Amino acid sequence: MLRSGKISENVLVRSVLRRIKTKRDEVKCGAGIGEDCAVLSFGADEETVLSTNPVCAPLDMAGVYAVHRALNNLAAAGAEPVGMMLSVALVQDTQEAMLQELIEKAEEICSHFHVQMIGGHTEVMKNMNMPLITATGIGKRRKEYQKYTHIVEAGQDVVVSKWIGLEATVRIAKEHREELLTRYPTKMIDEAEAFEQFLSIIPEAATAGRSGVCGMHDVSQGGIMAALWDLAKKSGVGLEIDLKMLPIRQETIEICEFFDLNPYELLSGGSLLMTTEDGTGLVMALGKAGIPAVIVGKTTAGNDKVLLHEDEKRFLEPPKTDQLYELIK
């Protein structure tokens, strides 16, 4: 029986990827492990990049999370976001004003990045206890992108932008505010909710693209551990990561301690994982753009994915169910 959350890699391969047989020449990149976008080519110079992301969350923020995830996938693939489609499945008795608020918030994000809402579907469903919003982002990129970038090899620096656990911190602070206020001051919870301003990785992806980045992967479901696994597995490299260097906000630590969650396996939209030949240069470039980033380790030859913590050494395991699902069982 399948568990809640993102399916395991074994199930993905066995029950999804092996069932996809039909191929077309226009599809340059399709379904695969670590692939968050599909890439289509219809002409000589540009490729079309697509990504779709479902989010089940309270209606006031579901559209925000879904749109950011779709746009972040495109940005990590080196694409310029162009269009957005929303499929909105609502619970019964939803007020029309709440639907309007959802669309307005989604449009605000799209407008900020000059992305047009180009369609979708809206329906009220029976037997649902929470809205399900699916955002499909459409972007474009030059064909030369794959030729000159996204070449992840051994010996490169691994860089992480902003902080891990951002998206989950926002969700938990908003959805479990009263519980958290029994232990923590209002100011801390307000600051955690304000992390919403950091959920886009479009700015750092653009800066990284101009600053010698070799590979990018947005950190989302399953947290930084899942992102590291996906990046290494897709690129055929090993890793050596210093856990102490992984950037995390104190608000996230406190919230994780309150609910006994592992921050390294926690929904982390808003953080970008990158590899580069010059980690110091990339960190400096991001810093000049007002984006904090740190070097957390290196890619290595072979398949070993090593996690270091002081004198301890262990190996990275395949992605697990996102820790956020511990709160929505």
Side-chain angles (χ1 to χ4, degrees):
M1 182 177 294
L2 298 177
R3 299 176 56 193
S4 297
K6 191 175 181 179
I7 60 175
S8 70
E9 183 178 307
N10 287 337
V11 174
L12 175 64
V13 172
R14 181 173 61 244
S15 299
V16 179
L17 298 181
R18 288 178 181 169
R19 311 293 166 173
I20 300 173
K21 309 292 186 181
T22 306
K23 305 294 183 182
R24 288 187 61 111
D25 292 340
E26 297 94 335
V27 179
K28 302 305 179 184
C29 180
I33 296 173
E35 298 291 355
D36 290 327
C37 292
V39 179
L40 308 180
S41 176
F42 300 110
D45 299 321
E46 288 188 335
E47 297 173 322
T48 301
V49 184
L50 303 100
S51 177
T52 189
N53 284 265
V55 170
C56 194
L59 193 58
D60 62 329
M61 288 297 292
V64 172
Y65 301 136
V67 169
H68 273 307
R69 286 191 200 176
L71 295 179
N72 285 350
N73 284 167
L74 296 177
E80 175 191 348
V82 174
M84 177 65 59
M85 301 182 73
L86 282 184
S87 174
V88 181
L90 301 172
V91 301
Q92 286 190 305
D93 301 321
T94 297
Q95 298 295 317
E96 185 177 348
M98 298 181 68
L99 172 61
Q100 292 176 356
E101 181 184 6
L102 180 150
I103 299 301
E104 288 171 356
K105 285 185 175 181
E107 168 61 23
E108 183 178 355
I109 298 169
C110 289
S111 176
H112 182 75
F113 295 109
H114 194 49
V115 174
Q116 182 175 340
M117 299 269 283
I118 59 176
H121 178 77
T122 305
E123 186 172 346
V124 178
M125 310 286 285
K126 290 183 178 180
N127 303 319
M128 288 182 58
N129 58 15
M130 191 173 290
L132 175 63
I133 314 301
T134 302
T136 300
I138 301 96
K140 64 177 182 178
R141 74 182 186 194
R142 303 288 293 179
K143 281 191 174 181
E144 290 86 352
Y145 175 80
Q146 284 286 55
K147 182 177 180 180
Y148 297 111
T149 61
H150 240 274
I151 305 171
V152 181
E153 297 176 340
Q156 294 173 355
D157 292 323
V158 179
V159 176
V160 174
S161 74
K162 298 203 289 279
W163 310 278
I164 64 171
L166 279 175
E167 186 177 343
T169 300
V170 175
R171 283 198 61 169
I172 296 170
K174 288 180 177 291
E175 297 172 28
H176 297 270
R177 182 180 180 88
E178 296 306 316
E179 295 172 73
L180 291 167
L181 286 173
T182 62
R183 180 184 298 182
Y184 302 118
T186 301
K187 181 180 179 182
M188 193 201 90
I189 308 306
D190 289 344
E191 290 178 350
E193 290 188 23
F195 289 171
E196 180 185 343
Q197 66 185 297
F198 302 125
L199 293 183
S200 176
I201 63 162
I202 292 177
E204 52 255 58
T207 299
R210 298 188 296 267
S211 306
V213 73
C214 296
M216 295 188 288
H217 189 77
D218 63 308
V219 190
S220 185
Q221 289 200 51
I224 186 64
M225 294 304 180
L228 287 166
W229 178 275
D230 286 346
L231 179 71
K233 190 71 178 284
K234 173 184 175 182
S235 306
V237 297
L239 294 170
E240 190 170 279
I241 303 297
D242 187 345
L243 290 177
K244 299 198 307 297
M245 295 304 298
L246 292 173
I248 184 170
R249 290 289 296 255
Q250 187 63 34
E251 293 87 347
T252 302
I253 294 174
E254 299 290 349
I255 287 174
C256 285
E257 288 183 354
F258 186 90
F259 289 108
D260 192 25
L261 303 175
N262 182 346
Y264 302 117
E265 298 172 355
L266 192 61
L267 186 65
S268 294
S271 181
L272 180 62
L273 178 64
M274 298 159 277
T275 71
T276 177
E277 301 289 349
D278 180 12
T280 300
L282 178 55
V283 168
M284 290 179 62
L286 290 166
K288 288 180 181 178
I291 303 164
V294 294
I295 300 171
V296 300
K298 278 189 170 293
T299 57
T300 61
N303 296 317
D304 288 347
K305 305 169 186 64
V306 179
L307 303 175
L308 304 174
H309 185 262
E310 296 179 347
D311 295 331
E312 296 181 10
K313 173 182 175 181
R314 64 185 179 90
F315 293 95
L316 183 65
E317 299 177 353
K320 300 177 182 177
T321 300
D322 196 287
Q323 286 281 288
L324 187 64
Y325 286 93
E326 293 296 318
L327 295 183
I328 53 177
K329 290 180 177 179

